[in-house]
Amino acid sequence: MPAEPVAPPAVAQDDAGGRTARRVVTVLALAALLPALYLPALRHDYYDLKIYMRAMDWWAAGHPLYDYVQPDRVQGALYFTYPPFAALLLRPFALLPLGVAIAAFVVLTLAGVVVTTRWLVLPVLRRHHLPRGFGLTVAVLLVLAVESTRETITLGQINMLLVVLILADLLFAVPQGRRWAGVGVGLAAALKLFPGIFLLYLLAARRWRAAAVAAATAAVATLLAAAVAPDDSWRFWTHELWTTDRVGRTDYTGNQSLFGLLSRMTAPNEPGRLPWLLLAVAIAGLGLWRAARAARAGDALVGLTLTGLVGGLISPITWTHHLYWFIPAVVVLVDAALDADRATVTGVRRRRGLLALAAGTGVVIVYGVVTFQDWGTGTVHTDDPVDFVVRNAYVLLSLLLLVLLPIRHRSPAFVKRTDLANDAVRR
């Protein structure tokens, strides 16, 4: 007598339903956390964006662009400090009502967060067969929770545009040898000085053509701005570029660069330029050497992440909203942990160590260094060890990651599979 068909166990459906419920609860919990993180930052009230818009109005009225100044109770006198090419990009926004300009910046930043997070995370989810929709949603919410993102949004900064240009170039165009490789880095460097470090990375990685294209793109954009605003361009590149006091106090806690750390140790006096320069050269040498090794190993993400961390360390001024580069560092650490061999004691220890470093980095960059702290308006000398660590958390974390961030050696077959996954991401 034939056996009757057996119905599948109900526990499978229960497990699926429970898994879905847990995912929904996780997403809702992360989304509910965001208002508490953003509430303290709302005091910024798009402060930087308003400076940009007022500077554009001042410029449109016929005044010299770099004469615009606005008093600030913490930083003193603040000026328009971006290169002239950035002013050309910002000027059309000044024609809009301020509320519309703010809304446009917020929407564009949010779009940049979603796009760049998808570029970083989707290949990892594919390789490790993790749920894509849930994984991407959680990743986007976590990126929005990070202090650099919060500061970018609530100050009205242009950082995500730069990140989009750099990641599109260094994750896709350069590794694939595209004809336009280098254009993104060049445009970013013409808009703001910080991305110039990625041109050095292309040279260190021996991507000669991409480096030449990046340099040419930056030069063309700069010459275009000079043709439109010759006097302002001459003034910026011959004078304003070298006056760091135009952008605020170097000892302020929000300046998370090596020079900022030294400034807080010597306040109210400025640190010696020679010791800082020697340390900056040593750090740049180590970081770019490791970044070049990563590029040669086929690990473009680690290469650009190390370069971004180097840029933040050696720049005289690195505000918290500049430090996006901790985010890809966390992605690298999690990915490397998932790749670790769980069948050996060494592999298990490596996995735990990488996950611990990823979690620790995540906690630091979500809590941040300025959001929940009141450092006041006065110059304060840092001599207490605890205060030293808290006020320089991003600097110390950058140095740690510069040494410990793992370089994944990718085989040609792996790189080819990753390129196919990247093509799918772009589609």
Side-chain angles (χ1 to χ4, degrees), residues 112-127 132 136 167-168 171-172 176 178 416-427:
V113 167
V114 172
V115 169
T116 53
T117 304
R118 191 169 185 266
W119 288 347
L120 294 177
V121 173
L122 190 56
V124 177
L125 298 175
R126 288 178 184 275
R127 286 200 304 273
R132 298 174 194 173
L136 282 173
L167 291 190
L171 283 181
F172 303 113
Q176 296 170 13
R178 297 296 177 90
K416 183 176 180 180
R417 289 197 305 272
T418 302
D419 288 345
L420 293 174
N422 287 338
D423 288 338
V425 170
R426 288 195 301 277
R427 289 197 296 267

Side-chain angles (χ1 to χ4, degrees), residues 127-394:
R127 286 200 304 273
H128 298 288
H129 308 291
L130 298 172
R132 298 174 194 173
F134 173 67
L136 282 173
T137 303
V138 168
V140 168
L141 290 173
L142 289 174
V143 171
L144 288 173
V146 171
E147 185 180 58
S148 63
T149 308
R150 303 197 306 265
E151 294 282 289
T152 294
I153 292 174
T154 56
L155 285 169
Q157 276 284 342
I158 66 170
N159 298 312
M160 283 311 302
L161 169 61
L162 306 179
V163 170
V164 169
L165 290 171
I166 292 166
L167 291 190
D169 213 352
L170 298 183
L171 283 181
F172 303 113
V174 172
Q176 296 170 13
R178 297 296 177 90
R179 190 171 298 177
W180 53 274
V183 170
V185 168
L187 287 175
L191 288 167
K192 206 167 183 177
L193 298 177
F194 185 98
I197 190 66
F198 292 97
L199 201 156
L200 295 181
Y201 163 65
L202 291 174
L203 292 173
R206 301 177 185 176
R207 301 284 191 168
W208 309 120
R209 187 180 186 282
V213 170
T217 301
V220 169
T222 301
L223 290 174
L224 173 64
V228 175
D231 292 340
D232 291 307
S233 294
W234 176 260
R235 178 175 170 180
F236 177 83
W237 293 108
T238 60
H239 183 265
E240 309 305 343
L241 171 63
W242 313 104
T243 54
T244 56
D245 58 343
R246 289 175 60 90
V247 296
R249 286 169 32 208
T250 59
D251 68 286
Y252 179 59
T253 305
N255 178 20
Q256 288 292 304
S257 68
L258 178 64
F259 193 76
L261 179 149
L262 296 175
S263 297
R264 288 183 282 276
M265 292 177 64
T266 61
N269 301 314
E270 279 202 359
R273 298 294 173 128
L274 182 58
W276 165 69
L277 185 60
L278 292 175
L279 284 172
V281 169
I283 289 170
L286 171 64
L288 290 176
W289 172 71
R290 293 202 74 222
R293 282 187 58 208
R296 289 194 295 272
D299 199 341
L301 182 56
V302 169
L304 70 89
T305 301
L306 289 169
T307 305
L309 294 173
V310 167
L313 286 167
I314 68 173
S315 173
I317 299 287
T318 301
W319 300 127
T320 52
H321 53 79
H322 294 161
L323 290 169
Y324 168 85
W325 311 104
F326 292 126
I327 293 169
V330 172
V331 174
V332 168
L333 291 169
V334 172
D335 189 26
L338 293 175
D339 280 334
D341 186 1
R342 284 175 279 182
T344 65
V345 174
T346 302
V348 171
R349 288 177 178 172
R350 173 178 171 79
R351 179 185 177 91
R352 290 175 179 172
L354 291 169
L355 288 177
L357 183 55
T361 300
V363 169
V364 171
I365 63 178
V366 169
Y367 182 79
V369 296
V370 295
T371 300
F372 300 103
Q373 307 292 331
D374 182 11
W375 299 113
T377 58
T379 300
V380 179
H381 178 75
T382 302
D383 50 13
D384 178 80
V386 174
D387 200 30
F388 175 82
V389 172
V390 172
R391 294 190 72 187
N392 299 294
Y394 288 169

